[in-house]
Amino acid sequence: MSEKKISLIVPVYYEEEVLPIAYPRMKAALEQTGHDYEILFVNDGSRDGTMRELRKIAAEDQRVKVLSFSRNFGHQLAVTAGMDEATGDALIIIDADLQDPPELIPDMVKLWEQGADIVYGKRKKREGETFFKKFTAACYYRLLTSMSAYPIPLDTGDFRLIGRNVADVFLKMREHGRFLRGMSAWMGFDAVPLEYVRQERAAGKTKYTLKKMLKLALDGITGFSTKPLTMPLYLGGAVMGLSLLGFLAVLICALTVGAAAWLWALCGVCLLLGAVLFFLGVQGAYIGRIFEESKARPLYIVAEKINL
Ligand code: UDP
Ligand code: MG
């Protein structure tokens, strides 16, 4: 057995049906890597038999650790708690419902051993998911990519391996509205994709309600882009420019064929509207700065040091 250790982080929310199927598959996959390992289950406030199942598993296997939240804090925070507790040299985040096949773990570890800092699962196909989910996801990721300064790879979720160096940066980023896949993209490092087919849920129903999905989507945009705040700046500038052109056109008309009074009024209203939008955008630019500062992220990330 090598001296390296892998931490598997599994957020669980009302998953009593899948745990008895998921745990043996996760364990078998981890055994195959040849490394020491731990499995960290984070119970995100489930009130069904989830804790009963977890207690059973943890009683028989010392490598299984369990964290249990006082209430539901959401998937992203459950994963964060797991990262905070993990002691491995590499951390792997996986859903409990077996949509991300644990059998890919040895391949992820292999890529990490070859030098990747991050190995992220890239979905080349999604089985058993509704058209609505696939369609909204496709639109959303394209929108996010167009707004964010740090490209977030398309068709990825949180199923990924991160090295200890990356995990240590995560520990320093304590923002509340978390969007882990975006934070991972923001950090940079050598990220390698691993393509896979996302499976159907092993049992039960999705725990990501529409409300939770919307919150995550909004956290993704507001956490990684201040463009929406400064949009009125450009729109207002354009409206002001157009109304000045309008004034010129009305003036020419007035001097030649004569112009109605309401045309002057229209240009005046547009000019004011443009100015209001413009200064809204100016405020947005400042609010954006306050927001960036309040995140208190590290200013830079050192990936390697030599002789220091
Ligand atoms: N989950 C969680 N807290 C929540 C919602 C979900 O810990 O509030 C867990 C859930 O148990 C699963 C993972 O997050 O392990 C992904 O959730 P789910 O499979 O329901 O989402 P989907 O795959 O449908 O997007
Ligand atoms: Mg799922």
Side-chain angles (χ1 to χ4, degrees), residues 11 13 15 44 75 96-97 99 133 198 206-207 212:
Y13 186 51
E15 304 286 13
D44 185 13
H75 167 254
D97 62 1
Q99 282 198 278
K133 182 137 187 170
R198 190 154 156 95
T206 175
K207 308 299 177 310
K212 283 185 171 163

Side-chain angles (χ1 to χ4, degrees), residues 155-201:
D155 305 316
T156 63
D158 290 320
F159 180 37
R160 63 186 58 225
L161 175 150
I162 59 173
R164 175 44 62 189
N165 51 345
V166 180
D168 283 341
V169 183
F170 262 112
L171 299 189
K172 287 189 194 141
M173 294 167 77
R174 305 313 291 179
E175 61 210 63
H176 287 246
R178 293 171 90 75
F179 186 64
L180 298 172
R181 59 202 83 159
M183 289 158 73
S184 177
W186 176 83
M187 287 181 210
F189 289 108
D190 289 328
V192 174
L194 179 67
E195 285 205 333
Y196 73 106
V197 178
R198 190 154 156 95
Q199 307 295 316
E200 255 179 82
R201 228 179 195 285

Side-chain angles (χ1 to χ4, degrees), residues 10-15 18 42-46 72-76 78-79 94-100 123 126 129 133 198 201 205-209 212-213:
V10 195
V12 279
Y13 186 51
Y14 287 89
E15 304 286 13
V18 298
V42 185
N43 171 31
D44 185 13
S46 323
N72 181 238
F73 281 88
H75 167 254
Q76 302 281 299
V79 172
I94 194 167
D95 284 354
D97 62 1
L98 299 172
Q99 282 198 278
D100 313 320
R123 303 158 179 177
R126 299 169 76 140
E129 286 191 290
K133 182 137 187 170
R198 190 154 156 95
R201 228 179 195 285
K205 280 200 301 255
T206 175
K207 308 299 177 310
Y208 253 97
T209 55
K212 283 185 171 163
M213 254 161 63

Side-chain angles (χ1 to χ4, degrees), residues 33-46:
T33 66
H35 293 290
D36 189 12
Y37 66 86
E38 63 181 356
I39 308 180
L40 278 150
F41 287 103
V42 185
N43 171 31
D44 185 13
S46 323

